[in-house]
Amino acid sequence: MSASIEIENASVSYFMRKVGTSDKASEKGSVGAQIVVGKRYLEIAALRNISLSLKTGDRVGLIGINGSGKSTLLKVCAGALAIQSGSIEIKGMVSPQFALGSGIKPNLSGRRNTELKCLYMGTPQSKIAAATEEVKELSGLGGYFELPIRSYSAGMRSRLVMSLMRLVRGDILIMDEWISAADASVNKTVSKLQSDLIESSSILIMASHSQRILEDWTTTLLWLDRGEIKAMGPVADVYADYKKWMNTKA
Amino acid sequence: MNLWHQIRPFLSKFVRFMHISYLEAKSNYQGTRLGLLWLPVSTLLFTGMLALVFRHSDAMTITEFFLYVLSGYILWQFIQASIITSTDIVQRQLEFAIHNNLTLAGLFGKLLMDRLFEYGINLALLVAVIVLLSPGNVDLNLALFIPFVAIIVPTSLAVSYLVNAVTIFFPDLSTLVKTGTRFMFFASPVFWVATDRTDIRTLLVQYNPVSYYMDITRQVFGILPLQPASWISSALVSLGLCVAGYITFVYSQNFVRNIK
């Protein structure tokens, strides 16, 4: 099945309940989307009139300053946020990769957590044992794989979390920044996992600030500013414009 | 054969999510000797205490009263879980769900499976205790278990979404819901007998919908005689809750995802 994302004239807002000093929230800053102070809620207009058409083979990078709407767009594509107006149609299985450790149970061992992830990801029961061994191998945790996660150091935990990427399957891959491990020894493995994941996906949408990452993995760059598309085109051209714009702002 | 092919994916999903519920429930008892067995053991201990402390009717033997309380308390735990664990699902768990191939509806379905898993363990305990203490209770009424499940499962799902939606729009109600649920435990015929009613209990049995569900679960297990009126009442209450839950879901599913 071919994957596709069709977004037409979509606008997305976050809503936050008003609290004491919320009336001052409409003050304009140098970053972030416009905040509209309503009667009961603050409306943060995170994306406005976005139109985007992606099909199998597309590799799209997202750039923009903080609060420009990159994460919002990723979350809309992942189904974590809804649009308020316009339309969105997604065909294919979406695999979001922006909160990798969510759902990890600290009381369970690395093995049990891996089995759980397998079950969530729909790995057939007959293949769970093999997939779990594969994750164990990748993580390099050895005997720690059998211990509760709460006994892991931060680095060990991130090794496991990243190795769990092995279980991810999806037609549409959504990444918020290239994932790098602090530990150089595991970085190569993680990079390989991400490369495999990207290559096997039909569509990639990746937010990043790194020109190298964007040039390596994406062919089209979408520049967002205050929730609107400022430019979209070949990575080199759009990134050059973005850099120039950033220099004028500095 | 064709029917099997149709239901197989659902069965496979059911088994998968039961396995998930098992592993997750197990994690709550990690490090204990009894592990998951604490679920039925704690139910048994609490029921024993309730049955001993609150026994006030000579119309029932201690065994009958124990079974009365056990059946009521097991259902009460399911009802309570449907309400108090539903106050902040979307805000707390949606991101986790999205990363694990679950939609918003799927997340509520998964949490329902968790509740059903624990309920199932307690039901196994109830059946074992009935077979042990009062095997005569097991009769044709047990066939009513199917309509009983058909009533409580969608109701639990609907109540869960309604509670979540209400507490998202009115956060103050979150504490109220928890306090109200505790009050409802005492106001429902879990450990008191409806036939021993004083004036206030008459009102409670009549107007507290939980009492209808308590009645029908006890009828399924032969603890109370069959009363079609309880089934009709609980089915009507469930229908109302399911319709309200469905309408709320349709109209709020987009908005609730965007509230931070």
Side-chain angles (χ1 to χ4, degrees):
Chain A
M1 190 187 84
S2 61
S4 66
I5 298 178
E6 293 291 338
I7 303 176
E8 216 179 301
N9 227 9
S11 295
V12 181
S13 293
Y14 290 107
F15 298 91
M16 291 189 78
R17 191 166 287 280
K18 273 174 77 174
V19 287
T21 53
S22 297
D23 287 332
K24 293 178 186 166
S26 55
E27 202 176 302
K28 214 168 175 180
S30 55
V31 291
Q34 188 195 343
I35 302 173
V36 181
V37 181
K39 205 176 166 188
R40 289 181 61 198
Y41 293 97
L42 298 175
E43 182 181 346
I44 300 157
L47 289 178
R48 283 180 291 172
N49 306 318
I50 300 288
S51 291
L52 189 62
S53 176
L54 303 178
K55 55 186 189 316
T56 297
D58 284 342
R59 302 278 185 258
V60 179
L62 303 181
I63 48 163
I65 57 170
N66 297 336
S68 58
K70 302 186 297 292
S71 296
T72 304
L73 183 55
L74 295 178
K75 286 182 180 180
V76 166
C77 292
L81 286 172
I83 58 170
Q84 266 70 48
S85 62
S87 67
I88 178 164
E89 195 184 345
I90 294 173
K91 283 185 192 152
M93 188 177 160
V94 179
S95 169
Q97 298 298 310
F98 43 73
L100 289 175
S102 63
I104 292 285
K105 306 265 169 200
N107 284 340
L108 290 180
S109 64
R111 179 176 294 280
R112 288 278 177 261
N113 270 294
T114 307
E115 286 170 0
L116 260 178
K117 190 72 179 177
C118 286
L119 287 164
Y120 275 118
M121 301 315 287
T123 308
Q125 294 272 354
S126 57
K127 291 183 178 163
I128 288 178
T132 306
E133 284 307 317
E134 204 179 336
V135 169
K136 181 184 175 182
E137 187 88 359
L138 278 171
S139 69
L141 284 169
Y144 279 93
F145 196 63
E146 315 303 331
L147 298 185
I149 303 252
R150 62 171 190 273
S151 66
Y152 289 15
S153 67
M156 288 157 96
R157 189 186 146 99
S158 85
R159 270 172 178 264
L160 176 71
V161 166
M162 288 170 181
S163 305
L164 289 174
M165 275 198 299
R166 192 78 191 97
L167 307 172
V168 173
R169 300 278 181 277
D171 306 310
I172 301 167
L173 185 62
I174 295 175
M175 297 174 77
D176 200 351
E177 275 299 347
W178 180 262
I179 302 151
S180 301
D183 187 343
S185 64
V186 81
N187 221 352
K188 208 173 158 192
T189 312
V190 171
S191 294
K192 172 83 170 65
L193 280 173
Q194 287 180 100
S195 316
D196 290 350
L197 210 55
I198 290 172
E199 274 156 16
S200 65
S201 64
S202 302
I203 295 175
L204 167 72
I205 310 175
M206 179 201 278
S208 180
H209 289 286
S210 159
Q211 186 176 5
R212 187 183 60 80
I213 299 283
L214 291 167
E215 280 175 348
D216 281 356
W217 293 108
T218 63
T219 50
T220 307
L221 201 52
L222 193 154
W223 172 11
L224 284 166
D225 184 44
R226 289 185 188 271
E228 289 179 294
I229 296 178
K230 205 164 167 95
M232 189 172 173
V235 178
D237 298 351
V238 177
Y239 201 90
D241 290 345
Y242 173 66
K243 224 170 158 184
K244 211 185 291 170
W245 179 78
M246 285 288 280
N247 288 336
T248 59
K249 272 187 78 108
Chain B
M1 201 63 180
N2 197 20
L3 181 72
W4 170 244
H5 281 298
Q6 280 181 341
I7 61 168
R8 204 183 149 182
F10 294 103
L11 276 177
S12 154
K13 220 169 225 182
F14 180 81
V15 170
R16 189 152 60 89
F17 278 95
M18 274 293 161
H19 194 173
I20 290 173
S21 300
Y22 163 70
L23 290 176
E24 292 188 340
K26 215 171 128 180
S27 79
N28 296 332
Y29 297 93
Q30 196 77 17
T32 61
R33 273 190 188 279
L34 287 184
L36 260 185
L37 276 178
W38 269 116
L39 263 176
V41 168
S42 56
T43 300
L44 212 53
L45 290 175
F46 194 68
T47 305
M49 191 200 74
L50 285 175
L52 280 173
V53 175
F54 292 100
R55 188 179 174 233
H56 52 265
S57 168
D58 291 330
M60 276 187 179
T61 65
I62 185 75
T63 306
E64 286 171 337
F65 189 62
F66 179 73
L67 290 178
Y68 178 90
V69 177
L70 184 62
S71 56
Y73 182 61
I74 285 172
L75 180 65
W76 170 256
Q77 283 181 300
F78 181 67
I79 293 171
Q80 180 180 254
S82 305
I83 300 170
I84 62 170
T85 60
S86 302
T87 49
D88 51 3
I89 292 172
V90 173
Q91 273 56 39
R92 202 163 37 89
Q93 298 188 53
L94 183 62
E95 204 146 281
F96 146 78
I98 296 293
H99 277 80
N100 288 290
N101 279 349
L102 296 170
T103 58
L104 180 64
L107 172 61
F108 279 86
K110 187 258 166 200
L111 295 171
L112 171 70
M113 294 296 279
D114 289 345
R115 295 194 290 275
L116 284 173
F117 175 77
E118 295 201 2
Y119 183 57
I121 288 184
N122 280 326
L123 271 186
L125 167 75
L126 177 64
V127 172
V129 172
I130 288 175
V131 169
L132 203 70
L133 299 180
S134 183
N137 279 18
V138 183
D139 58 16
L140 278 179
N141 280 0
L142 210 55
L144 289 171
F145 184 69
I146 294 165
F148 170 70
V149 168
I151 289 173
I152 64 159
V153 167
T155 310
S156 173
L157 197 60
V159 165
S160 177
Y161 191 79
L162 283 170
V163 167
N164 192 222
V166 164
T167 51
I168 283 173
F169 291 116
F170 306 100
D172 290 309
L173 286 181
S174 179
T175 311
L176 206 61
V177 162
K178 284 172 184 157
T179 311
T181 309
R182 277 201 291 272
F183 166 76
M184 214 150 80
F185 172 68
F186 295 101
S188 305
V190 178
F191 57 90
W192 48 265
V193 184
T195 49
D196 285 350
R197 59 185 76 152
T198 58
D199 285 347
I200 187 72
R201 284 188 189 154
T202 312
L203 278 176
L204 288 174
V205 166
Q206 224 170 352
Y207 295 107
N208 177 359
V210 174
S211 65
Y212 299 120
Y213 296 100
M214 292 283 160
D215 275 359
I216 61 172
T217 188
R218 285 166 176 146
Q219 289 168 32
V220 168
F221 295 101
I223 294 161
L224 288 180
L226 188 64
Q227 285 177 318
S230 312
W231 287 86
I232 294 166
S233 302
S234 50
L236 287 175
V237 171
S238 288
L239 184 67
L241 286 169
C242 290
V243 169
Y246 178 73
I247 293 171
T248 310
F249 178 74
V250 168
Y251 286 100
S252 69
Q253 59 165 321
N254 287 342
F255 186 63
V256 294
R257 276 188 279 177
N258 293 26
I259 296 182
K260 295 294 159 196

